[in-house]
């Protein structure tokens, strides 16, 4: 009994040996087929999907097209053998989209293999006992379309995946996701191909299993990356922006966490790289732009592979998905209570959050915080990359408010120096007789 009590306390599952009833703890997502009028009519569809997080190892699909008569579409459960035996605790919020399989447009659900509770008390030795896979299933039936595994995919995938439509045809071409071992994975789903021909590559290795680069710290990815098509003097690349931080242990302070920007130059959606053909980017391959200034320039030779920005305060970590708007990367970080950087307060210690705004290309400060937005004439110093949020605790992600506003996690609406976009229309007048 004593051992069980200590185990549950260490894993954050409640004090005094009492495990809280998590139940359905996962965020819902939806698939909708509508004619655009905002009303679900006969023949149109709304499907609801959700996992359980700490509540269990299952995903559910429901048909709620008629909200007064919902019905269960399917249930997937891990640990029962078969296609989903590796499925762990369903932390990965599903991504909904359409893919082309053999030329047929198919609505799908894509999610990571889930979380292994062994990570609560450290990283598993060898491979995780569950969660080290990524699944693509038919959204209507729950049938497995493709399970991605790899000899180097040894850690659980608790994060949501980022699905990317790179050519604007309404179909997902690629998914990108980080795992609990500090790796970043890329799965290609070229249109018209069979699911068996889809490919998987490890794009980056930044964690404990990256010992070959002399780092090997216990970095973990709990949140989805942002993927942005971009270009430099070498050519086109897809910028993969992702931050490390252990969500299950937010008070930890032993890991050097970063916001990473990886330049993935294999941009083709028609002929993606074969499985296992990419060389993973390591921490040492990226330019360290933590202290660079406008005067010294962040454009160091290492930018050929991307950059890394250290979250420098003790215990600072990324616990939300970044977002890129007009070439500016916005992201938040959490600084746990007890850090020397936090001002003394006569309130319960909740920690604090920061809001960062950095240039996608070089990671430099784009705003001089000593001047109003409409009076910007030079870039700021490294400290101008961030400002303290007005709310305490773990901050959420930034929300875009087009054309050039953001909603901060402290519920402040803020303007940013982005390009304002205008809708442009044209028409061609034909002769009446043609």
């Amino acid at each position: 009994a004593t051992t069980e009590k200590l185990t549950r306390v260490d894993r954050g599952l409640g004090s005094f040996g009492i495990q809280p009833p998590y139940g359905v703890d996962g965020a819902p997502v939806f698939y909708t087929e509508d004619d655009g009028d905002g009303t679900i009519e006969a023949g149109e569809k709304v499907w609801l999907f959700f996992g359980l997080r700490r509540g269990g190892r299952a995903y559910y699909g429901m048909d709620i097209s008629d909200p007064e008569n919902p019905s269960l579409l399917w249930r997937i459960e891990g640990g029962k053998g078969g296609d989903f035996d590796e499925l762990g605790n369903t932390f990965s919020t599903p991504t909904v989209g359409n893919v082309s399989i053999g030329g047929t447009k198919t609505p799908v659900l894509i999610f990571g293999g889930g979380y292994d509770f062994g990570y609560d008390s450290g990283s598993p030795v060898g491979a995780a006992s569950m969660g080290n896979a990524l699944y693509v299933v038919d959204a209507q039936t729950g049938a497995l379309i493709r399970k991605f595994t790899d000899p180097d995919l040894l850690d659980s995938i608790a994060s949501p995946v980022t699905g990317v439509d790179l050519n604007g045809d309404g179909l997902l071409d690629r998914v990108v996701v980080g795992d609990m071992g500090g790796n970043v994975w890329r799965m290609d789903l070229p249109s018209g191909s069979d699911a068996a021909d889809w490919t998987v590559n490890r794009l980056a290795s930044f964690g404990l299993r990256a010992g070959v680069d002399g780092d090997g710290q216990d970095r973990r990815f709990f949140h989805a990356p942002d993927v942005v098509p971009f270009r430099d003097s070498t050519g086109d690349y897809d910028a993969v922006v992702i931050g490390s931080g252990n969500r299950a242990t937010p008070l930890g302070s032993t890991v050097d966490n970063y916001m990473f920007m990886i330049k993935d130059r294999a941009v083709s959606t028609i002929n993606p790289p074969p499985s296992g053909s990419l060389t993973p980017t390591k921490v040492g391959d990226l330019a360290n732009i933590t202290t660079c200034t406008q005067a010294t320039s962040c454009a160091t030779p290492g930018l050929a592979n991307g950059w890394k920005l250290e979250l420098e305060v003790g215990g600072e970590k990324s616990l939300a998905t970044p977002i890129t708007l007009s070439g500016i990367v916005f992201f938040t970080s959490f600084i746990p209570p007890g850090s020397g950087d936090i001002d003394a307060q006569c309130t319960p210690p909740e920690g604090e959050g920061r809001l960062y705004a950095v240039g996608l290309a070089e990671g430099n400060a784009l705003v001089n915080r000593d001047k109003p937005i409409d009076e910007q004439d030079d870039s700021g110093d490294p400290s101008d990359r961030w400002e303290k949020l007005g709310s305490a605790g773990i901050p959420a992600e930034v929300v875009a408010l087009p054309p050039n506003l953001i909603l901060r996690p402290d519920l402040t609406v803020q303007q940013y120096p982005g390009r304002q976009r205008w809708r442009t229309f044209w028409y061609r007048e034909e002769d009446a007789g043609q």
Side-chain angles (χ1 to χ4, degrees):
T2 302
T3 301
E4 177 64 12
K5 174 181 176 180
L6 291 175
T7 299
R8 287 179 172 175
V9 170
D10 290 344
R11 288 163 58 178
L13 298 178
S15 58
F16 307 109
I18 301 173
Q19 181 171 348
Y22 282 97
V24 179
D25 197 31
V29 295
F30 301 88
Y31 173 81
T32 304
E33 289 186 4
D34 177 28
D35 60 8
D37 64 358
T39 301
I40 302 302
E41 301 162 332
E44 297 176 341
K45 303 172 183 175
V46 180
W47 297 335
L48 167 71
F49 310 99
F50 59 90
L52 303 178
R53 286 181 59 84
R54 287 190 182 271
R57 300 174 63 181
Y59 283 103
Y60 293 82
M62 298 186 66
D63 187 343
I64 58 170
S65 305
D66 180 355
E68 295 184 358
N69 296 285
S71 61
L72 181 68
L73 286 173
W74 47 260
R75 178 174 185 264
I76 291 172
E77 187 172 3
K80 301 293 185 179
D83 293 333
F84 299 97
D85 191 50
E86 300 95 338
L87 183 63
N89 295 275
T90 48
F91 273 48
S92 180
T93 302
T95 294
V96 181
N98 290 294
V99 299
S100 174
I101 303 176
T104 300
K105 181 180 176 180
T106 306
V108 298
L109 206 66
I110 308 175
F111 48 86
Y115 187 64
D116 182 336
F117 284 149
Y119 288 96
D120 282 349
S121 55
S123 292
V125 177
S129 62
M130 63 181 77
N132 55 333
L134 185 137
Y135 300 93
V136 183
V137 304
D138 187 294
Q140 183 172 15
T141 67
L144 181 68
I145 294 175
R146 174 68 189 268
K147 177 170 65 177
F148 289 98
T149 58
D150 187 272
D152 293 318
L153 180 47
L154 302 175
D155 291 280
S156 298
I157 298 179
S159 164
V161 307
T162 296
V164 190
D165 175 12
L166 293 166
N167 54 14
D169 63 356
L171 302 170
L172 297 180
D173 307 300
R174 186 176 307 152
V175 295
V176 183
V177 67
D179 69 21
M180 292 295 295
N183 300 290
V184 181
W185 296 90
R186 155 185 172 157
M187 291 78 172
D188 285 273
L189 297 67
S191 294
S193 62
D194 292 330
D197 297 326
W198 295 347
T199 62
V200 56
N201 276 278
R202 183 164 54 160
L203 189 61
S205 184
F206 297 145
L208 276 177
R209 304 191 191 282
V212 292
D213 73 348
D215 195 314
Q217 292 201 38
D218 188 11
R219 299 188 183 93
R220 306 183 184 187
F221 295 122
F222 269 92
H223 296 274
D226 192 18
V227 180
V228 186
F230 218 68
R231 173 178 291 183
D232 60 12
S233 59
T234 302
D236 295 337
Y237 64 89
D238 294 326
V240 178
V241 186
I242 188 170
S244 64
N246 190 348
R247 182 92 192 195
T249 311
L251 304 184
S253 59
T254 60
V255 176
D256 296 328
N257 288 297
Y258 290 86
M259 182 59 63
F260 298 99
M261 191 278 275
I262 309 156
K263 292 185 177 181
D264 180 4
R265 298 190 183 273
V267 298
S268 174
T269 60
I270 300 174
N271 297 304
S275 292
S277 63
L278 296 182
T279 300
T281 299
K282 303 295 194 300
V283 174
D285 297 332
L286 301 175
N288 189 344
I289 51 87
T290 306
T291 59
C292 67
T293 65
Q294 185 67 15
T296 61
S297 177
C298 296
T300 62
L303 278 174
N305 301 313
W307 50 257
K308 59 189 175 190
L309 174 62
E310 186 175 1
L311 307 179
E312 296 181 278
V313 180
E316 186 179 6
K317 52 185 65 67
S318 171
L319 298 180
T321 296
I323 184 173
T324 305
L325 304 168
S326 297
I328 305 173
V329 180
F330 294 95
F331 66 94
T332 59
S333 71
F334 173 65
I335 300 174
S339 167
D341 189 69
I342 296 180
D343 298 331
Q345 302 178 21
C346 296
T347 57
E350 299 178 72
E352 69 179 36
R354 286 181 173 182
L355 170 62
Y356 285 78
V358 303
L360 177 64
E362 297 182 6
N364 55 319
L366 297 181
V367 176
N368 186 329
R369 299 192 185 277
D370 296 325
K371 299 180 180 180
I373 289 294
D374 57 358
E375 297 179 11
Q376 297 288 310
D377 53 11
D378 61 351
S379 299
D381 292 323
S383 61
D384 287 322
R385 291 189 177 109
W386 63 270
E387 60 181 301
K388 180 180 176 180
L389 289 167
S391 55
I394 298 175
E397 66 274 4
V398 172
V399 177
L401 300 176
N404 61 342
L405 299 173
I406 59 170
L407 176 62
R408 299 156 44 118
D410 55 13
L411 302 184
T412 302
V413 175
Q414 179 178 327
Q415 183 180 2
Y416 65 89
R419 298 184 297 273
Q420 186 162 347
R421 299 183 179 183
W422 302 94
R423 289 183 179 272
T424 303
F425 302 88
W426 63 272
Y427 72 95
R428 178 178 178 180
E429 186 174 342
E430 301 285 356
D431 294 337
Q434 295 182 353

